[in-house]
Amino acid sequence: MLELRLVQGSLLKKVLESIKDLVNDANFDCSSTGFSLQAMDSSHVALVALLLRSEGFEHYRCDRNMSMGMNLGNMSKMLKCAGNDDIITIKGDDGSDTVTFMFESPTQDKIADFEMKLMDIDSEHLGIPEAEYHAIVRMPSAEFARICKDLASIGDTVVISVTKEGVKFSTRGDIGTANIVLRQNTTVDKPEDATVIEMNEPVSLTFALRYMNSFTKATPLSNTVTISLSSDLPVVVEYKIAEMGYVRFYLAPKIEEDEDETKPET
Amino acid sequence: MLELRLVQGSLLKKVLESIKDLVNDANFDCSSTGFSLQAMDSSHVALVALLLRSEGFEHYRCDRNMSMGMNLGNMSKMLKCAGNDDIITIKGDDGSDTVTFMFESPTQDKIADFEMKLMDIDSEHLGIPEAEYHAIVRMPSAEFARICKDLASIGDTVVISVTKEGVKFSTRGDIGTANIVLRQNTTVDKPEDATVIEMNEPVSLTFALRYMNSFTKATPLSNTVTISLSSDLPVVVEYKIAEMGYVRFYLAPKIEEDEDETKPET
Amino acid sequence: MLELRLVQGSLLKKVLESIKDLVNDANFDCSSTGFSLQAMDSSHVALVALLLRSEGFEHYRCDRNMSMGMNLGNMSKMLKCAGNDDIITIKGDDGSDTVTFMFESPTQDKIADFEMKLMDIDSEHLGIPEAEYHAIVRMPSAEFARICKDLASIGDTVVISVTKEGVKFSTRGDIGTANIVLRQNTTVDKPEDATVIEMNEPVSLTFALRYMNSFTKATPLSNTVTISLSSDLPVVVEYKIAEMGYVRFYLAPKIEEDEDETKPET
C-alpha cells in the first residue's frame, strides 16, 4: 500500500507541467526513500530524472517498492483539477491497476478523488554515475529561460561557452547571429539573482535549442538553475524542488564538424 | 416607443456574453414590468430565461408590449463596443425594423449610437410552472464553474448527487473517474462563499457537461449560483442579476440505463 | 561608421512593433540629424515616416550618410530579445552588409550582440510638403485605437467628420450602423486626456478601417495621437516619440460615389 501526502500540492502540479511535453509515458518508482522517475524523452535523446524525497511529504507510507506506469498527459489533466493551495495525496494498492489522486482544499470543504488507470511500461533504469564537471554555472532560472527562448527565434542550436569571467550563449541562423554574455556576479541583493561560475577548465559545447527550451518548462519549480558541463558528458540542467528533491534533464552535446575548434580527424 | 436606460451598462454586456453562445436568435420581450427573453438553445435541449425588471433601470419607458427579434451574436458585437462604465440606453420605435443601443461615457464626452437590424423570429413562449424541488444547492458561482470545467477534462456527463451533508459531482471517462464533494458550509466570512443545501429528499441526476459549461458563462453576473434539482424536472441553474432579475438555464437530466438506481422497465 | 546609443531601448522596440506589420522591408537612413525611415506599405496604399532625432540618443555618431536596408520582421525578432530596460546600440560599418544591435542590461551583467544581414532595397524618397490642414484633432491614442477596433467589428470603412463641437466616427455594415461622437474637451485633469479640435473648415472623409487599425499599433509610443485632415490630402496620423521624433502614417481618403455629399460628375 502506498499513501503519500504532499501539503504543497502545487509542487506536484509544476513537476508534471515541466516534464509532460518531453515524456509521454513513464514509470513512477516508490520506495521507502522517495518518489522518483527516470525516463527518456519520446525521441530517445534527452533523459529526465525526478526525485521527491520521502522527508518532503507530510505523510509517507510505502510498504514495499512499487512501480506505477502512468501516461503523463492524463496525469497532468487530473492534477490541473487540483487547486494551487490544495493538499495532494497519492494512493495506490499493491496489484491494483489504478492510482488515486486526492485533492483537499485548505478549508477541507472540497474533497476530490481522481482515479487514473495505470499502464504497463517497459523501462530500463540507467545508472547515472556521479561525475566531475569541467564547469558548473548557477544562474537565475528565468534568465536562462529567456535566453533559450530568445536564441530560438534566431537559430536551432546554442553554443554554451564558459570562461572564468562569464558564460556565453551563441547561435546562428538565416537572419543573422546572436551572442549573449552573462558575467559572473555574486554581489547581488538576493542570492537567487546571482550568476556563479565554478570552472576547472573552459568548455564550449553545442546543444539543440528545442530541448533546452523544453527543459525550461521547469522554471516555475525554482528561482535558480544549475548547468553542469563537461566536454565528454551530457549536460545536466537541474532545477531543485524546495527542500525535497530535483528535476534533472540530461542532453548529449551535438558534434559540430564545421566549428573552428574542431580538429581534422585524420 | 421604448426607452430603457441602464446606468450599470456592463450588466447588459455580461448578460449577452452569458447567453450568446447558447442561443443564436431570440425575441426580447418588453412590457411595463420588464425586459425579458425566453429561448431554446440551437439544438433544442436547453432553455434560457432572462428577466431584467423595470425597477432596475434608471429610466424605463415602454408604451406598449413589444417583441424584438435579435441576432445575439450581432447584439454582442455592438455591446462589446460599450465601455464597462458606460450607461446603455435601448431605444425602439413601434413598427421600426431597427433597435438602437446608445452608449454614454461617464463624463459624457463620448456618445455612441449603434443601430441594429431586427429579425422576424417565430417563437412560442413556454409557461414554466413554479415547482417544488427535491434539493436546492446555493454555492459560489466560480466554484461551480471550476468543477464543471475540471470534470469536462475527464468525461462528458456529470452526476450531481445531493445529500444533507453535501453535494457530489462525478464523472467517468476513458482515462479514469473523478468525484468532487462539497460540504455544506455556512460559517464563512463572506455570505457569497457559503455552500448551502436545502433538501427534501436525496437526488442523483446526470447532465451533459457541455451544457453545464455553457451555463457557467454567466459566472461574471453573480458571485453565487443556485442549482435546483428534482428527479422528474429539468434542473434550474440560476444566476441573479444585481437587484434586478436573473438568468436561468433549464436542462433535462439524461436517463442513464446502466446506472444502479435505474429500475427495469417491465 | 555608425554608432547610435539609445538609453530607452524600449522605444525602438515599440517603433518596430508599430510598423512591422505594415511594411516588410525598408531602408533606414542615417544622417547627422537623425535616424529615419520612409516606406510605403506592401500594398502601396499607406505611407510610413519615422524620425528619431540625433539629440534623443545618448551617443550619436554617423560619419557619413548611410542607408541600411532591413527586413522589419527580422529586425523585430532581434529587438524582441532586448529587455524593456535595456540600452540599445545600433552599430554599422561603411560597406558592411550587416548591422549589429547591442543590448546592455541596466546592471551591465548581460550584454548581447545581434548581427543582422542587410538587404538591397530600391526605394524612392518622396518629398512630403508641409501642408495646411482643414482640421486637426488631438485625442487620447487609446481612445482612437478603441474606436477603430470597435467600428471594424461593424463595417469596413470609417467616415471621420469634424465640426467645431466634436469629431464623429461612423461606419455601416451588414448588421447595422454605428456613430461615435467625441466632444471637444480641454478641461481635463491630465493634458493627455484632452480632445482638442483645431478647425478651419468642416471636413468629412472616408478611410479604410483596416489601415487605421494597423496605424494604432503605434499606440504604446504615445498617450496622444494627432489626426490631420484635409479634403484633398491624405490624412496624417501622428504619434510623437518622447522628445525625439515621431511615427507618421499617411493614407488617402476613399472616394465614396454613393455618399450624399458627392456631386454628380457631369
Side-chain angles (χ1 to χ4, degrees):
Chain A
M1 188 187 154
L2 178 82
E3 198 170 290
L4 318 181
R5 183 177 162 93
L6 185 62
V7 173
Q8 206 181 335
S10 60
L11 282 183
L12 194 63
K13 289 167 61 97
K14 290 178 189 167
V15 164
L16 256 285
E17 290 314 293
S18 76
I19 61 177
K20 79 169 168 44
D21 293 338
L22 205 60
V23 178
N24 294 335
D25 303 312
N27 284 316
F28 282 85
D29 297 310
C30 285
S31 71
S32 55
T33 56
F35 188 68
S36 64
L37 169 149
Q38 197 198 79
M40 298 297 289
D41 84 289
S42 43
S43 55
H44 283 257
V45 172
L47 178 78
V48 183
L50 160 73
L51 174 64
L52 297 172
R53 284 185 212 95
S54 53
E55 307 91 83
F57 292 83
E58 193 204 31
H59 172 73
Y60 191 96
R61 176 177 170 185
C62 175
D63 296 346
R64 60 192 188 93
N65 289 5
M66 280 177 73
S67 184
M68 296 186 294
M70 305 198 200
N71 175 284
L72 299 195
N74 292 345
M75 185 177 173
S76 161
K77 272 188 192 173
M78 290 193 166
L79 291 181
K80 276 188 179 163
C81 300
N84 282 328
D85 300 325
D86 282 4
I87 299 162
I88 297 183
T89 305
I90 304 172
K91 295 180 192 177
D93 281 312
D94 298 340
S96 167
D97 62 349
T98 63
V99 61
T100 297
F101 305 106
M102 185 173 77
F103 312 140
E104 298 164 73
S105 70
T107 59
Q108 297 289 325
D109 290 328
K110 181 181 176 186
I111 313 278
D113 286 287
F114 283 70
E115 191 179 281
M116 189 175 77
K117 288 172 193 159
L118 294 176
M119 318 167 63
D120 276 323
I121 300 169
D122 282 332
S123 70
E124 42 184 338
H125 203 280
L126 305 173
I128 301 169
E130 287 290 311
E132 288 284 309
Y133 286 92
H134 293 166
I136 298 176
V137 178
R138 182 161 61 78
M139 58 183 285
S141 60
E143 186 66 86
F144 179 63
R146 175 77 200 257
I147 289 170
C148 291
K149 178 173 155 281
D150 283 347
L151 293 185
S153 70
I154 310 295
D156 296 327
T157 59
V158 56
V159 181
I160 305 180
S161 309
V162 184
T163 62
K164 274 193 184 146
E165 287 72 37
V167 51
K168 183 169 77 167
F169 302 87
S170 309
T171 194
R172 173 184 297 275
D174 290 341
I175 69 171
T177 62
N179 293 293
I180 301 174
V181 175
L182 282 193
R183 296 187 196 163
Q184 155 129 297
N185 175 8
T186 55
T187 58
V188 287
D189 291 346
K190 287 181 269 175
E192 65 259 37
D193 290 342
T195 298
V196 183
I197 295 168
E198 292 172 38
M199 199 194 77
N200 296 317
E201 54 180 285
V203 279
S204 179
L205 295 165
T206 305
F207 302 98
L209 275 167
R210 196 178 133 241
Y211 285 99
M212 285 292 173
N213 268 308
S214 184
F215 302 164
T216 63
K217 297 247 164 82
T219 303
L221 277 170
S222 177
N223 288 323
T224 61
V225 62
T226 304
I227 305 162
S228 304
L229 299 140
S230 270
S231 50
D232 44 7
L233 284 175
V235 65
V236 188
V237 179
E238 178 182 89
Y239 296 86
K240 290 240 186 294
I241 302 171
E243 316 275 286
M244 69 189 295
Y246 56 76
V247 176
R248 289 181 187 152
F249 301 97
Y250 297 82
L251 179 67
K254 285 175 104 82
I255 290 114
E256 301 244 348
E257 305 200 1
D258 54 348
E259 287 283 299
D260 294 344
E261 57 263 38
T262 309
K263 288 176 194 144
E265 297 197 345
T266 46
Chain B
M1 188 185 155
L2 178 83
E3 199 171 287
L4 318 182
R5 183 177 162 92
L6 185 63
V7 173
Q8 205 180 338
S10 59
L11 281 183
L12 194 62
K13 288 166 63 94
K14 289 177 190 168
V15 164
L16 257 285
E17 290 314 293
S18 75
I19 61 177
K20 81 169 167 43
D21 293 337
L22 205 60
V23 178
N24 294 334
D25 304 313
N27 284 315
F28 282 84
D29 298 308
C30 286
S31 72
S32 56
T33 55
F35 188 68
S36 65
L37 170 150
Q38 196 196 80
M40 298 297 290
D41 83 289
S42 43
S43 55
H44 282 259
V45 171
L47 179 78
V48 182
L50 160 72
L51 174 63
L52 297 171
R53 284 184 212 97
S54 53
E55 306 92 82
F57 293 83
E58 193 204 31
H59 173 72
Y60 191 96
R61 177 177 170 186
C62 176
D63 297 346
R64 59 192 188 92
N65 289 4
M66 279 178 73
S67 185
M68 297 186 294
M70 305 198 199
N71 176 284
L72 299 195
N74 292 345
M75 184 176 173
S76 160
K77 272 188 193 172
M78 291 193 166
L79 291 181
K80 275 188 180 163
C81 301
N84 282 327
D85 299 325
D86 282 5
I87 299 163
I88 297 182
T89 305
I90 304 171
K91 295 180 190 176
D93 280 312
D94 298 339
S96 166
D97 62 348
T98 63
V99 61
T100 297
F101 304 107
M102 185 173 78
F103 311 140
E104 298 164 74
S105 70
T107 58
Q108 296 289 324
D109 290 327
K110 180 181 176 187
I111 312 279
D113 286 287
F114 282 71
E115 191 179 279
M116 188 176 78
K117 289 173 193 158
L118 295 175
M119 319 168 62
D120 276 323
I121 299 169
D122 283 332
S123 71
E124 42 183 338
H125 203 280
L126 304 173
I128 301 170
E130 286 291 311
E132 289 283 308
Y133 286 92
H134 293 166
I136 298 176
V137 177
R138 182 161 62 76
M139 61 183 283
S141 60
E143 185 67 86
F144 180 62
R146 174 78 200 256
I147 289 170
C148 290
K149 178 173 154 283
D150 283 346
L151 293 186
S153 70
I154 310 294
D156 295 327
T157 59
V158 56
V159 181
I160 305 180
S161 308
V162 185
T163 62
K164 277 192 180 146
E165 288 72 35
V167 51
K168 184 170 77 169
F169 302 87
S170 310
T171 194
R172 174 182 296 275
D174 289 344
I175 70 170
T177 63
N179 293 292
I180 301 174
V181 175
L182 282 192
R183 296 187 194 161
Q184 155 128 295
N185 176 7
T186 56
T187 58
V188 287
D189 291 347
K190 287 182 266 176
E192 65 260 35
D193 290 342
T195 298
V196 184
I197 295 168
E198 292 172 40
M199 198 195 77
N200 295 317
E201 53 179 286
V203 281
S204 179
L205 295 164
T206 305
F207 302 98
L209 274 167
R210 197 179 132 239
Y211 286 99
M212 285 292 172
N213 268 310
S214 184
F215 302 165
T216 63
K217 298 247 165 82
T219 303
L221 278 169
S222 177
N223 287 324
T224 60
V225 61
T226 304
I227 305 162
S228 303
L229 299 141
S230 269
S231 51
D232 44 7
L233 285 174
V235 64
V236 189
V237 179
E238 179 183 89
Y239 296 85
K240 291 242 186 292
I241 303 171
E243 315 274 286
M244 69 187 297
Y246 55 76
V247 176
R248 288 180 188 152
F249 301 96
Y250 297 83
L251 178 66
K254 285 176 104 81
I255 289 113
E256 301 245 348
E257 304 200 1
D258 54 349
E259 287 285 298
D260 294 343
E261 57 264 38
T262 309
K263 287 172 195 146
E265 296 197 344
T266 48
Chain C
M1 188 186 155
L2 177 82
E3 197 170 289
L4 319 180
R5 184 176 161 92
L6 185 63
V7 173
Q8 205 180 337
S10 61
L11 281 183
L12 194 63
K13 288 165 63 94
K14 289 178 190 169
V15 164
L16 255 285
E17 290 314 293
S18 75
I19 62 177
K20 81 168 166 43
D21 293 338
L22 206 59
V23 178
N24 294 335
D25 303 314
N27 284 316
F28 282 84
D29 298 310
C30 285
S31 72
S32 56
T33 55
F35 189 67
S36 65
L37 170 150
Q38 198 197 79
M40 298 296 290
D41 82 290
S42 43
S43 55
H44 282 258
V45 173
L47 179 77
V48 183
L50 160 73
L51 174 63
L52 297 172
R53 285 185 209 95
S54 54
E55 307 92 84
F57 291 84
E58 194 205 29
H59 172 72
Y60 191 95
R61 175 176 172 186
C62 175
D63 296 346
R64 58 189 188 94
N65 288 4
M66 280 177 73
S67 186
M68 296 186 292
M70 305 200 199
N71 176 284
L72 300 195
N74 291 346
M75 184 177 174
S76 160
K77 271 188 193 172
M78 290 194 167
L79 292 181
K80 276 187 179 162
C81 301
N84 282 326
D85 301 323
D86 281 5
I87 298 163
I88 297 182
T89 304
I90 304 171
K91 295 180 191 177
D93 281 312
D94 297 339
S96 167
D97 62 349
T98 62
V99 62
T100 297
F101 305 107
M102 185 173 76
F103 312 139
E104 297 164 75
S105 70
T107 58
Q108 297 289 326
D109 290 328
K110 181 181 176 186
I111 312 278
D113 285 287
F114 283 70
E115 191 180 280
M116 189 175 78
K117 289 174 192 156
L118 294 176
M119 318 169 61
D120 276 323
I121 300 170
D122 284 332
S123 71
E124 41 184 339
H125 203 280
L126 304 173
I128 302 169
E130 285 292 311
E132 288 284 307
Y133 286 92
H134 292 167
I136 297 177
V137 178
R138 183 161 62 77
M139 60 185 282
S141 60
E143 186 67 85
F144 179 63
R146 174 77 200 257
I147 289 170
C148 290
K149 178 172 154 284
D150 283 348
L151 293 186
S153 70
I154 309 294
D156 296 327
T157 59
V158 57
V159 182
I160 305 181
S161 310
V162 184
T163 62
K164 277 194 179 142
E165 287 72 36
V167 50
K168 183 169 76 169
F169 302 87
S170 308
T171 195
R172 174 183 297 276
D174 289 342
I175 70 171
T177 63
N179 294 291
I180 300 175
V181 175
L182 282 194
R183 296 186 194 162
Q184 155 129 296
N185 176 7
T186 55
T187 58
V188 287
D189 291 346
K190 287 182 268 176
E192 65 259 35
D193 289 342
T195 299
V196 183
I197 295 167
E198 291 172 39
M199 198 195 78
N200 296 318
E201 54 180 284
V203 279
S204 179
L205 295 165
T206 305
F207 302 98
L209 274 167
R210 197 180 132 240
Y211 286 98
M212 286 292 173
N213 268 310
S214 185
F215 302 164
T216 62
K217 298 247 164 81
T219 303
L221 278 170
S222 177
N223 287 324
T224 62
V225 61
T226 305
I227 305 162
S228 303
L229 298 142
S230 268
S231 50
D232 43 7
L233 285 174
V235 64
V236 188
V237 179
E238 179 182 89
Y239 295 85
K240 290 240 185 296
I241 301 171
E243 316 274 287
M244 69 188 294
Y246 56 76
V247 175
R248 288 180 188 153
F249 301 98
Y250 298 81
L251 179 66
K254 285 175 103 82
I255 289 114
E256 300 246 347
E257 306 202 359
D258 54 349
E259 288 284 300
D260 295 344
E261 56 263 39
T262 310
K263 287 175 194 144
E265 297 197 342
T266 45

